[in-house]
Amino acid sequence: MSEDRPTPPPETSPPTTEPRTDAAGQLPALERSVMGSVGVALMGAGLRSARPLQKLVLGSVGAGLAAMAATGRNPLATALKIRQTPQGEVLVSDAVTIGKPADDLYRVWRDLAGLPRLMTHLKAVEVLDERRSHWTVEAPTGTVSWDAALTADEPGRRIAWAALPGAAIENHGEVLFRPAPGDRGTEVVVRLAYRPPGGSAGAIAARLFGEEPAQQLRDDLMRFKREQELGFAPTTDGQSSARAVGGQA
Amino acid sequence: MKAIVWQGTNRVGVETVPDPTLLLPTDAIIRVTSTAICGSDLHLLDGVIPSMEKGDILGHEFMGEVVEVGRDVRRLKVGDRVVVPFNISCGVCDPCRRGLFSACDNSNPNHRMAEALYGGVSGGGLFGYSHMYGGYAGGQAQYVRVPFADVGPHRIESDLRDEQVLFLTDIFPTGYQAAENCGIVPGRDVVAVFGAGPVGQFAARSAQMLGAAHVIVIDRVPERLAMAEAAGCQVINYEQEDVLVALRESTGGRGPDHVIDAVGMEAHGHGPGALVDTAKQRLKLSFDRITALRWALLSCAKGGTVSLPGVYGGLIDKVPMGAAFAKGLTFRMGQTHTHRHIAPLLSRIEAGEIDPSFVITHRASLDDAPDLYRTFRDKQGGCIKVVLNPWA
């Protein structure tokens, strides 16, 4: 994230009851102890199981969790390409080049109430005043809402925001608009950081349930590019095939 | 309407499917008057291209008459006779504006599938060529929906027959681009073409049109070699001669200045390398069999160009990279930017420089197409190129 992002308010800091190590990429202590216990329990269940396959599966999943707890690292998160900041936030970013001037693209993003059209997992953004807004997001468990405030607004260059203290999911993000070299238009860079409930395990669970923020962001950016460059999205929905009428995967 | 449908690996059939409709205001509907089976359709038949779904309509070489246009279509009108590039391009993104039409940013609705395989970027959509390339219904049918109708279709205003202009949709520009990519120095450069299928035939004749001093064509199928020989090319049957030795001899030990691999991912070849490729492909450890590519790199002269119109799909290994480096070779490759070649090549046809119908060996109806897919794949009955009449 860029340097001028304001320090998060104290409430968004890690819970003080669970001291964490300073080493980058290390799992929070609570997550480690839960993982360790579950891992040991699974290994035990695996060893007791009469069925060889179950023994193998439970044993190895258990051993894996125990190893994560012991080393304080979550290789599964790395394998699933879940990126984490040293502070334990999940980081999602992507970029796209769009053949339009930065000022035009900035204006579309600056209309916060219109953001749900760009970012489809956003259900609604309600503008409260010049800096504050109320965000609602679809989550596997239902909708989640929080208040956010603009932390930077540089016309034609950058918009940044952060959830206000007390948010159910701590998060902050920014959009950069950079002139692309040559006559290619504008590079739009989006960076989002959030603290998933349940730490990296929570992020993995969300991924396994089909919530893929990185893919969602990619799709959102491509949809935005096509809307800006073409004015519509290409489609094959409803075209003919020898499947059921209107059937198109 | 009638259409040729992919029913699974090694299974294509004729089925009755719904007529296409306009899905977007920039679409047109074409009544197909001629369509063809392409060598790259055989990769679909063999099941080596991922993301095909049962029920997909095949075909990407087609032409016909415009019967309906969306309300935002400006350049095309009902009644126009058009050839349609096999690749679908938006015409406004940066790659399209640079003439890299097959690399269109915007025309593939399933961009994420290609992005996952190809390093985060997707090419443009293709007609009838897997969901990774958009899942667009193809043109081996009586009617086809053509998206971006103001960008792709090219009007044919002269009285040239379908058979003379149909191949502007793919194999002629593909062979031509392969030759153009070589940067042939007229009167000096020797060009070798691996693969004497339709694209190889057009690559060889394009190399001649661009002034190559000498063109050598390599294949194993006698009637294909005879067709190249009739065009004035030297031919090598790789089952009867050691290709690398024969190419060295034919070029005074230098090797051909440029080599075009018009074979791609399903090379037959022979020898231990070919056996390993086949075994790995069967075991799904690899998409590609690369004998032709190996020969191309090994035979090419110092400072030469290896031009690849043949399609490669995945990861390859045992590539003689040391030879390529030692000789300072240049690689040029990629899906054809068909749009930019149609007008200049049409002028050459109109001027009588080339009649692309030379490549046709079989003419049939849609009902015969499933059999002809197999005939073409097995290279039986002298089959080099099949043209289908959807209304026969």
Side-chain angles (χ1 to χ4, degrees), chain B residues 247-275:
Chain B
L247 282 174
R248 281 180 62 78
E249 269 187 35
S250 307
T251 55
R254 303 183 308 275
D257 296 294
H258 311 290
V259 180
I260 295 171
D261 167 6
V263 176
M265 64 198 286
E266 293 194 81
H268 291 87
H270 52 52
L275 278 176

Side-chain angles (χ1 to χ4, degrees), chain A residues 219 226 229 239 242-243 249, chain B residues 53-56 105-106 112 135:
Chain A
D219 291 349
R226 287 166 179 187
E229 291 188 345
Q239 72 176 357
R243 292 180 288 273
Chain B
E53 290 176 18
K54 288 179 185 174
D56 287 343
D105 280 343
N106 290 330
R112 65 155 75 172

Side-chain angles (χ1 to χ4, degrees), chain A residues 60-127:
Chain A
S60 28
V61 172
L65 283 174
M68 284 195 270
T71 58
R73 293 191 183 270
N74 190 339
L76 199 53
T78 312
L80 287 171
K81 300 199 172 124
I82 293 170
R83 290 152 63 205
Q84 280 181 281
T85 64
Q87 290 76 36
E89 292 172 319
V90 174
L91 191 64
V92 176
S93 66
D94 209 333
V96 71
T97 301
I98 301 178
K100 281 281 176 96
D103 287 336
D104 293 9
L105 303 177
Y106 162 84
R107 266 196 296 278
V108 178
W109 280 85
R110 184 60 184 80
D111 169 25
L112 298 181
L115 277 185
R117 280 195 311 115
L118 305 182
M119 311 185 79
T120 47
H121 59 293
L122 266 183
K123 203 168 145 75
V125 178
E126 194 187 333
V127 176

Side-chain angles (χ1 to χ4, degrees), chain A residues 17-29:
Chain A
T17 47
E18 293 296 338
R20 69 178 63 224
T21 151
D22 286 330
Q26 291 261 302
L27 296 168

Side-chain angles (χ1 to χ4, degrees), chain A residues 11-224:
Chain A
E11 285 84 350
T12 63
S13 302
T16 45
T17 47
E18 293 296 338
R20 69 178 63 224
T21 151
D22 286 330
Q26 291 261 302
L27 296 168
L30 174 63
E31 200 175 340
R32 284 176 72 171
S33 62
V34 171
M35 259 180 200
S37 326
V38 173
V40 170
L42 283 179
M43 278 198 287
L47 289 174
R48 282 192 302 276
S49 170
R51 294 159 62 186
L53 185 64
Q54 204 170 22
K55 192 178 276 246
L56 190 69
V57 172
L58 288 179
S60 28
V61 172
L65 283 174
M68 284 195 270
T71 58
R73 293 191 183 270
N74 190 339
L76 199 53
T78 312
L80 287 171
K81 300 199 172 124
I82 293 170
R83 290 152 63 205
Q84 280 181 281
T85 64
Q87 290 76 36
E89 292 172 319
V90 174
L91 191 64
V92 176
S93 66
D94 209 333
V96 71
T97 301
I98 301 178
K100 281 281 176 96
D103 287 336
D104 293 9
L105 303 177
Y106 162 84
R107 266 196 296 278
V108 178
W109 280 85
R110 184 60 184 80
D111 169 25
L112 298 181
L115 277 185
R117 280 195 311 115
L118 305 182
M119 311 185 79
T120 47
H121 59 293
L122 266 183
K123 203 168 145 75
V125 178
E126 194 187 333
V127 176
L128 302 175
D129 59 34
E130 192 60 19
R131 298 199 78 75
R132 291 185 314 125
S133 48
H134 184 73
W135 296 51
T136 307
V137 167
E138 300 271 15
T141 50
T143 59
V144 181
S145 297
W146 66 85
D147 286 345
L150 286 181
T151 53
D153 182 12
E154 304 162 38
R157 293 171 37 142
R158 176 171 180 254
I159 304 169
W161 63 88
L164 289 170
I169 301 177
E170 297 165 29
N171 71 87
H172 52 93
E174 65 175 346
V175 190
L176 308 177
F177 305 91
R178 299 190 300 229
D183 58 356
R184 286 177 286 200
T186 305
E187 297 170 359
V188 178
V189 182
V190 178
R191 296 174 180 151
L192 306 170
Y194 64 99
R195 198 177 292 284
S200 68
I204 291 168
R207 174 67 53 91
L208 296 179
F209 283 106
E211 292 288 310
E212 296 187 62
Q215 189 64 61
Q216 281 173 341
L217 176 59
R218 179 75 194 152
D219 291 349
D220 289 344
L221 286 178
M222 287 303 283
R223 193 178 320 98
F224 181 48

Side-chain angles (χ1 to χ4, degrees), chain A residues 97 99 183-185 212 215-216 218-219 222-223 225-226 229-230 232-243 245-246 248-249, chain B residues 5 15 17-18 23-24 26 53-57 90 92-94 97 105-106 108-109 111-112 115 120 131 134-137 145 148:
Chain A
T97 301
D183 58 356
R184 286 177 286 200
E212 296 187 62
Q215 189 64 61
Q216 281 173 341
R218 179 75 194 152
D219 291 349
M222 287 303 283
R223 193 178 320 98
K225 173 182 166 75
R226 287 166 179 187
E229 291 188 345
L230 302 178
F232 62 89
T235 185
T236 51
D237 283 344
Q239 72 176 357
S240 50
S241 76
R243 292 180 288 273
V245 174
Q248 150 63 26
Chain B
V5 167
E15 294 194 34
V17 302
L23 300 180
L24 290 169
T26 45
E53 290 176 18
K54 288 179 185 174
D56 287 343
I57 300 173
C90 78
V92 301
C93 67
D94 184 57
R97 284 190 296 132
D105 280 343
N106 290 330
N108 182 357
H111 58 88
R112 65 155 75 172
E115 286 169 351
H131 290 260
Y136 288 99
R145 166 199 172 227
F148 301 100

Side-chain angles (χ1 to χ4, degrees), chain B residues 88-243:
Chain B
I88 300 167
S89 312
C90 78
V92 301
C93 67
D94 184 57
C96 282
R97 284 190 296 132
R98 291 161 60 206
L100 305 174
F101 290 97
S102 68
C104 174
D105 280 343
N106 290 330
S107 62
N108 182 357
N110 295 332
H111 58 88
R112 65 155 75 172
M113 218 183 273
E115 286 169 351
L117 266 178
Y118 294 147
V121 296
S122 148
L126 304 175
F127 285 103
Y129 215 79
S130 86
H131 290 260
M132 194 167 90
Y133 286 105
Y136 288 99
Q140 287 168 7
Q142 291 180 312
Y143 294 95
V144 61
R145 166 199 172 227
V146 175
F148 301 100
D150 276 341
V151 184
H154 191 96
R155 244 191 315 270
I156 303 293
E157 276 152 355
S158 54
D159 56 359
L160 291 166
R161 289 175 292 116
D162 273 18
E163 291 186 351
Q164 293 174 287
V165 291
L166 172 61
F167 303 133
L168 288 170
T169 61
D170 180 350
I171 52 172
F172 187 10
T174 297
Y176 180 82
Q177 181 172 299
E180 191 187 57
N181 275 343
C182 292
I184 296 165
V185 177
R188 176 187 182 277
D189 286 356
V190 178
V191 178
V193 180
F194 282 92
V199 168
Q201 299 289 343
F202 279 108
R205 290 184 194 222
S206 298
Q208 290 173 331
M209 288 195 304
L210 293 171
H214 186 55
V215 178
I216 308 170
V217 174
I218 301 103
D219 204 295
R220 66 189 173 118
V221 182
E223 50 272 21
R224 291 179 168 202
L225 291 172
M227 187 179 270
E229 208 162 20
C233 302
Q234 179 194 338
V235 298
I236 296 173
N237 184 331
Y238 71 79
E239 288 189 329
Q240 291 166 6
E241 292 179 77
D242 182 317
V243 180

Side-chain angles (χ1 to χ4, degrees), chain B residues 329-346:
Chain B
L329 302 184
T330 299
F331 284 23
R332 299 293 300 275
M333 65 189 85
Q335 206 68 264
T336 313
H337 307 303
T338 316
H339 299 54
R340 75 174 186 217
H341 299 298
I342 290 186
L345 292 182
L346 180 59

